[in-house]
Amino acid sequence: MKITKICCIGAGYVGGPTMAIIAQKCPHIQVTVVDLNRERIAAWNDADTVNIPIYEPGLSAVVAEARGRNLFFSTDVAKAIDEAQMIFISVNTPTKTYGSGKGMAADLKYIELCARQIAAIAKDNKIVVEKSTLPVRTAEALKSILDETGNGVQFQILSNPEFLAEGTAVDDLLAPDRVLIGGDSSAAGEQAVQALVDIYANWVPLDRILRTNLWSSELSKLTANAFLAQRISSINALSELCEVTGAAINEVAKAIGMDSRIGPKFLNASVGFGGSCFQKDILNLVYIAKSYGLTAVADYWEQVIILNDHQKRRFSNTIVKTLYNTVSDKKIAFLGWAFKKDTNDTRESAAIYVADDLLNEQAQLAIFDPKVSRNKMLADLDYLATRSSKDNAKNATSFDEPYSACENAHAIAVLTEWEEFRAYDWQRIYDKMQKPAFVFDGRNLLDRAALEAIGFVYFAIGS
Ligand SMILES: NC(=O)c1ccc[n+]([C@@H]2O[C@H](COP(=O)([O-])OP(=O)(O)OC[C@H]3O[C@@H](n4cnc5c(N)ncnc54)[C@H](O)[C@@H]3O)[C@@H](O)[C@H]2O)c1
């Protein structure tokens, strides 16, 4: 089956970049990305592609090339579903905030809504691709909804989880470590898998396209995120031990990373992982393990989250303790709010939780992030509902540039590893700060020797 029309439901951090690359690499395929969020779609259609709603290095150029040619963004979900032969579901799957599984299970209401809409609209056979990260065996539920409520149309369901990392999404999509496609072993299932393989084969070498059964594919995505997060919690756990023993975490990381069985990546100790995926996917894994009665497995993975929460809290406690046990009315500058560099995504960013702790201690926060707006910062704090919006707005101020944010501050906390922070005029910053001037480097980003030579009291995690 030759695919010429694709639709993707969900124009978020996954749907937008993924479809932009498919459109760029497959000019013969018409790709329509739809979303219920009108503002988001309007931003994707902004005349100047610099204003697209997601910041990713290189993405605006890809969109500029393909948009209007074979890449379209629209709010007309029904039309796009009707016209497409292949439909990617790339909607959000957050942790449930109500009912059974609250705080752990994935909330599949958006997925189910998509399935019902596809079933209601489809008049000819469709391939439905799970792009969202889903609990293992979700395809079964999807199939049942599609088959029971459809008009006798044949649906094939594929699992094609996305492994891109925010901040490097374009590079990851252009040269993925692997593309994973799970499908049914029936003849029709294999044809559907082949149709998707043919799309990726336009730019991905065939030996990087992996075919598995549906359940292996669904579970592999959760497992990959769990392993990545576990590695961060492992190094972070040791960072605390380094601080009390005189070992330096960077030295330990280098020493163990040179063991080829361990490898050097993802060994940077930090204030903790954030992002929309790691926590929610591990919680989901824990929930699935529990639901099969596998308590030891569930407890093992849950510890990754417990350690991550501990690391964030530990960082804010260190700031308070070091500033003579009080930060009340002290100005603390935050460099960074995004959960990592090269993205404007702030979901579950460690900065939010450190800010919340310090606001509880009555600190005055001055925040600068190169890509995050003031409204977003305040919305993140308001979402925690720890205090009123008015109090958040009064005590957390955002700045358009770093030097004013740091002026008169008692301390600077580095929360995101933006490269540009290294290149700042740190002498100028020091001169305008309260003394002693502290830097709490939550990302092990800055040059300790250079900052100490200027006169800063420098704290880095794990040393
Ligand atoms: N963000 C990442 O780095 C990443 C990486 C790999 C996988 N994932 C997974 O991909 C999925 C999407 O993540 P995201 O970060 O792109 O989420 P997102 O919140 O940025 O985007 C999801 C979009 O879907 C839209 N949507 C929801 N229901 C809809 C419906 N019925 N019809 C039309 N639009 C609808 C929302 O309005 C939203 O714009 C999640 O399952 C996530 O776990 C995310």
Side-chain angles (χ1 to χ4, degrees):
M1 182 182 192
K2 194 148 173 55
I3 303 293
T4 53
K5 281 192 178 167
I6 285 178
C7 140
C8 173
I9 310 179
Y13 282 85
V14 166
T18 312
M19 292 302 127
I21 295 293
I22 290 184
Q24 186 197 36
K25 293 292 173 190
C26 311
H28 55 285
I29 299 179
Q30 181 182 311
V31 181
T32 307
V33 191
V34 291
D35 204 296
L36 298 173
N37 183 335
R38 292 186 170 276
E39 226 176 288
R40 214 167 204 184
I41 290 297
W44 280 112
N45 283 324
D46 195 290
D48 186 347
T49 52
V50 169
N51 298 327
I52 55 175
I54 286 164
Y55 173 72
E56 277 292 339
L59 181 61
S60 122
V62 177
V63 172
E65 180 190 332
R67 200 181 61 189
R69 179 188 72 189
N70 64 325
L71 175 64
F72 303 92
F73 294 92
S74 163
T75 51
D76 195 342
V77 182
K79 178 164 179 274
I81 290 175
D82 181 31
E83 290 178 352
Q85 300 142 306
M86 183 179 273
I87 302 162
F88 288 78
I89 301 182
S90 191
V91 300
N92 36 330
T93 48
T95 304
K96 256 184 108 176
T97 53
Y98 55 88
S100 121
K102 177 179 170 179
M104 291 228 124
D107 191 342
L108 298 180
K109 68 179 171 196
Y110 304 107
I111 295 285
E112 177 163 347
L113 218 68
C114 290
R116 290 189 183 278
Q117 201 168 5
I118 294 168
I121 290 165
K123 296 194 279 291
D124 50 10
N125 297 349
K126 310 261 184 219
I127 299 171
V128 176
V129 185
E130 299 176 344
K131 194 48 135 170
S132 298
T133 303
L134 297 171
V136 54
R137 297 200 80 87
T138 302
E140 203 168 36
L142 269 184
K143 181 135 187 64
S144 142
I145 293 168
L146 288 168
D147 287 349
E148 299 294 321
T149 48
N151 322 317
V153 167
Q154 295 295 308
F155 293 102
Q156 275 305 318
I157 301 186
L158 302 179
S159 161
N160 173 223
E162 185 48 59
F163 293 100
L164 68 79
E166 287 180 31
T168 52
V170 171
D171 288 346
D172 295 343
L173 288 164
L174 287 174
D177 287 342
R178 77 315 208 174
V179 166
L180 179 57
I181 303 176
D184 205 63
S185 59
S186 65
E190 280 179 9
Q191 261 176 21
V193 170
Q194 190 58 46
L196 187 52
V197 169
D198 289 344
I199 292 174
Y200 283 110
N202 283 290
W203 78 97
V204 179
L206 280 179
D207 60 2
R208 298 214 165 187
I209 304 179
L210 216 62
R211 305 172 193 223
T212 65
N213 78 31
L214 276 164
W215 322 131
S216 303
S217 174
E218 289 177 336
L219 187 57
S220 295
K221 175 62 194 174
L222 289 182
T223 308
N225 274 354
F227 267 61
L228 290 169
Q230 177 210 39
R231 221 169 133 92
I232 299 177
S233 278
S234 296
I235 201 75
N236 283 346
L238 289 163
S239 72
E240 191 169 10
L241 193 55
C242 284
E243 287 167 27
V244 293
T245 56
I249 197 66
N250 289 344
E251 293 178 353
V252 174
K254 185 162 186 198
I256 62 167
M258 285 174 78
D259 185 324
S260 59
R261 293 167 302 177
I262 296 174
K265 291 185 180 165
F266 253 62
L267 282 180
N268 194 27
S270 73
V271 55
F273 60 77
S276 66
C277 293
F278 283 178
Q279 173 159 315
K280 109 177 143 59
D281 291 348
I282 293 187
L283 287 172
N284 188 6
L285 192 65
V286 169
Y287 181 75
I288 293 168
K290 277 189 179 159
S291 69
Y292 285 102
L294 310 179
T295 314
V297 176
D299 290 350
Y300 175 78
W301 287 109
E302 192 164 16
Q303 195 60 34
V304 173
I305 303 285
I306 293 171
L307 200 287
N308 196 49
D309 288 340
H310 170 70
Q311 188 77 347
K312 290 182 269 189
R313 179 65 39 84
R314 202 167 79 72
F315 186 70
S316 37
N317 283 346
T318 300
I319 296 177
V320 176
K321 217 165 61 194
T322 312
L323 295 183
Y324 315 106
N325 285 315
T326 176
V327 291
S328 179
D329 287 329
K330 288 182 182 166
K331 179 175 175 183
I332 300 179
F334 271 34
L335 293 183
W337 190 261
F339 85 93
K340 65 192 287 200
K341 70 173 174 180
D342 292 335
T343 177
N344 59 351
D345 195 351
T346 64
R347 289 177 289 182
E348 291 299 328
S349 177
I352 303 169
Y353 296 92
V354 174
D356 192 49
D357 284 349
L358 295 177
L359 288 170
N360 282 343
E361 295 289 336
Q362 302 184 342
Q364 296 289 321
L365 303 185
I367 308 165
F368 168 71
D369 186 288
K371 292 287 173 198
V372 182
S373 70
R374 171 169 174 74
N375 286 348
K376 187 80 197 67
M377 292 171 191
L378 288 178
D380 289 336
L381 287 171
D382 290 350
Y383 185 74
L384 296 182
T386 314
R387 64 194 72 71
S388 70
S389 302
K390 209 170 123 212
D391 280 348
N392 281 332
K394 197 170 109 213
N395 298 313
T397 312
S398 92
F399 288 79
D400 295 338
E401 50 80 34
Y403 296 96
S404 328
C406 297
E407 196 168 333
N408 285 324
H410 291 257
I412 294 170
V414 179
L415 275 312
T416 311
E417 69 280 21
W418 288 101
E419 288 296 328
E420 67 173 64
F421 295 168
R422 292 187 213 258
Y424 288 172
D425 181 345
W426 283 95
Q427 182 69 55
R428 180 177 159 202
I429 290 175
Y430 178 80
D431 290 344
K432 295 261 173 92
M433 283 178 69
Q434 305 275 348
K435 305 297 176 323
F438 294 90
V439 172
F440 297 92
D441 190 346
R443 296 284 163 185
N444 271 319
L445 179 78
L446 303 174
D447 181 341
R448 169 188 287 270
L451 290 189
E452 286 180 346
I454 290 172
F456 282 104
V457 182
Y458 178 79
F459 167 86
I461 282 176
S463 58

